[in-house]
Amino acid sequence: MSERRVLLICGDYVEDSEVMVPFQALQAYGVSVDAVCPGKKAGDFCRTAIHQSSVHQTYSESRGHNFTLNASFDEIDHTQYHGLILPGGRAPEYLAVNESVVVLVRNFVNSGKPVASICHAPLILAAAGSVNGRKCTGYRAVRPALIAAGALWVEPATLAACVVDGNIISCCSYKGHPEFIRLFVKALGGIITTPNKRILFLCGDYMEDYEVTVPFQSLQALGCHVDAVCPKKKAGDTCPTAVHDFEGDQTYSEKPGYDFTLTANFEGIDASSYDALVIPGGRAPSYLALDETVIALVKKFMESRKPVASICHGQQILAAAGVLKGMKCTAYPAVKLNVVLAGATWLEPDPIHRCFTDGNLVTGAAWPGHPEFISQLMALLGIKVTF
């Protein structure tokens, strides 16, 4: 396998999902991703914005997670990367008038390397003079600027619409992440081997936002059929999510997240029709662990030895189900008591992104561990990405 390196250009109030999902999904697939922002260095963070449809005439905005950069903008050499990702949100509006960003993006496009741009990010391509005569889409509000820059604008039929023209991949919004990421992996020379896997997500109100969205869309991008269910809810209903972040306090902070749309009915769900179960963390597990129908579902997956991947507070449900005895696992540190009392051997998550596999069980401590968490689940399912 030849290692692929990708650059991701960020800015303050970049769209929360549009920066983190590609960042962690690609790492889970074995791609090295450097995230940079002009005027900032490795270890600094960019504030993010949660944008979602509302009853108003445009989307709503709220504060998202703090996204930590892992490289310094001033040290970037575009020749050392195989591709570029440009997330959306409000950041592209000011990045498009930053000459260093414009030159860097132009160099990527002119080199013929794949450039993936989503939501408002095509504004940067327009500023770089890179869309003239090229088919392109994006969030509809960027249409006038794209047309003025000479783009052959493709009106997005849905918020998930993607367009490819040569080495430029464009997408309307994070709703299109699965296809957007899949197209980018293909453009990097990647081959995805997915043996028709069906995966079930066990959701609840105020589950952690990243911990449901990142693995859900990452697995969809690999071609898996992924369903999300919640007790007492049906397909098309939503679960509010929580943004849990680490901001210097003695425990995590919480802010409102996205409304996550369920894809299947909980009632009548057949565990035998799925190949794996994923349990996100957040606050939902504390009440889902009291639901006998949830406990019965989890027991069926564990007794059948199908892969079960649980992260953060999700292990509260495993503990309540009595399926951890004799297992080795980790969890968010505050859940250690539940895990130990349930008879498991505690594995210290140091650093916090450490994840572990014991038999059919994958456990992680928190969303910074998603690349390991997803890749270990992929291994159990026989899913591969090769370059």
Side-chain angles (χ1 to χ4, degrees):
M1 175 178 174
S2 175
E3 183 186 27
R4 292 293 189 271
R5 293 187 67 199
V6 168
L7 186 66
L8 189 152
I9 300 180
C10 307
D12 283 335
Y13 298 105
V14 62
E15 213 287 327
D16 191 24
S17 176
E18 289 169 4
V19 66
M20 185 57 88
V21 175
F23 181 74
Q24 291 192 318
L26 290 168
Q27 289 180 83
Y29 307 159
V31 178
S32 175
V33 187
D34 285 343
V36 299
C37 174
K40 299 191 181 189
K41 60 185 185 301
D44 292 345
F45 66 82
C46 287
R47 300 192 186 280
T48 71
I50 290 175
H51 289 168
Q52 61 178 341
S53 300
S54 70
V55 297
H56 305 293
Q57 293 182 343
T58 189
Y59 55 84
S60 64
E61 175 175 309
S62 59
R63 280 281 303 280
H65 298 78
N66 293 324
F67 181 85
T68 302
L69 306 169
N70 63 351
S72 301
F73 184 86
D74 291 342
E75 299 172 1
I76 294 303
D77 175 2
H78 77 276
T79 65
Q80 301 304 304
Y81 295 91
H82 298 92
L84 174 67
I85 295 180
L86 301 173
R90 287 195 290 111
E93 296 172 355
Y94 78 87
L95 293 176
V97 295
N98 182 305
E99 188 61 25
S100 297
V101 171
V102 169
V103 170
L104 181 60
V105 170
R106 185 182 299 129
N107 286 336
F108 267 98
V109 175
N110 291 345
S111 72
K113 296 174 181 177
V115 175
S117 171
I118 193 166
C119 191
H120 287 70
L123 291 172
I124 304 175
L125 295 175
S130 300
V131 295
N132 189 28
R134 307 287 287 270
K135 294 179 181 178
C136 188
T137 194
Y139 192 70
R140 291 180 178 90
V142 306
R143 179 176 61 188
L146 269 289
I147 291 175
L152 305 177
W153 174 259
V154 178
E155 188 69 17
T158 70
L159 290 172
C162 294
V163 171
V164 180
D165 188 339
N167 63 324
I168 294 180
I169 301 164
S170 55
C171 182
C172 181
S173 80
Y174 56 78
K175 297 288 187 181
H177 271 156
E179 184 181 3
F180 180 70
I181 294 169
R182 186 164 52 246
L183 289 169
F184 188 63
V185 168
K186 181 180 178 181
L188 290 172
I191 299 173
I192 298 171
T193 304
T194 304
N196 299 317
K197 296 300 182 180
R198 289 171 53 86
I199 301 169
L200 184 66
F201 273 63
L202 181 55
C203 303
D205 289 347
Y206 298 105
M207 57 189 166
E208 211 289 325
D209 178 69
Y210 276 167
E211 290 171 3
V212 63
T213 303
V214 174
F216 189 88
Q217 291 192 318
S218 297
L219 292 165
Q220 285 183 315
L222 293 170
C224 297
H225 175 93
V226 189
D227 278 332
V229 297
C230 174
K232 301 180 179 64
K233 296 193 181 188
K234 60 185 185 300
D237 290 346
T238 61
C239 288
T241 68
V243 169
H244 286 170
D245 215 343
F246 309 98
E247 301 182 288
D249 303 309
Q250 292 184 339
T251 188
Y252 54 84
S253 62
E254 178 170 310
K255 297 184 283 286
Y258 299 85
D259 293 326
F260 185 86
T261 303
L262 304 169
T263 62
N265 301 335
F266 183 86
E267 186 175 353
I269 201 76
D270 180 7
S272 67
S273 67
Y274 293 93
D275 300 294
L277 175 68
V278 178
I279 307 175
R283 288 196 289 110
S286 65
Y287 80 86
L288 291 176
L290 307 176
D291 189 314
E292 289 303 320
T293 61
V294 168
I295 296 302
L297 181 65
V298 170
K299 284 182 175 180
K300 286 181 181 177
F301 274 94
M302 289 296 289
E303 289 168 358
S304 65
R305 305 297 296 168
K306 292 180 178 179
V308 173
S310 180
I311 194 164
C312 192
H313 287 69
Q315 287 80 307
Q316 291 177 317
I317 300 174
L318 299 177
V323 298
L324 290 181
K325 188 173 183 178
M327 303 293 288
K328 298 176 181 178
C329 72
T330 193
Y332 189 69
V335 184
K336 179 178 180 179
L337 179 62
N338 303 67
V339 169
V340 172
L341 290 176
T345 298
W346 174 256
L347 299 176
E348 194 66 34
D350 185 18
I352 197 70
H353 61 73
R354 284 292 304 277
C355 295
F356 301 92
T357 299
D358 183 10
N360 66 315
L361 180 63
V362 178
T363 54
W367 56 257
H370 276 150
E372 287 189 26
F373 183 72
I374 296 166
S375 65
Q376 290 182 29
L377 177 58
M378 289 169 59
L380 290 182
L381 289 168
I383 300 171
K384 297 179 181 178
V385 180
T386 54
F387 293 93

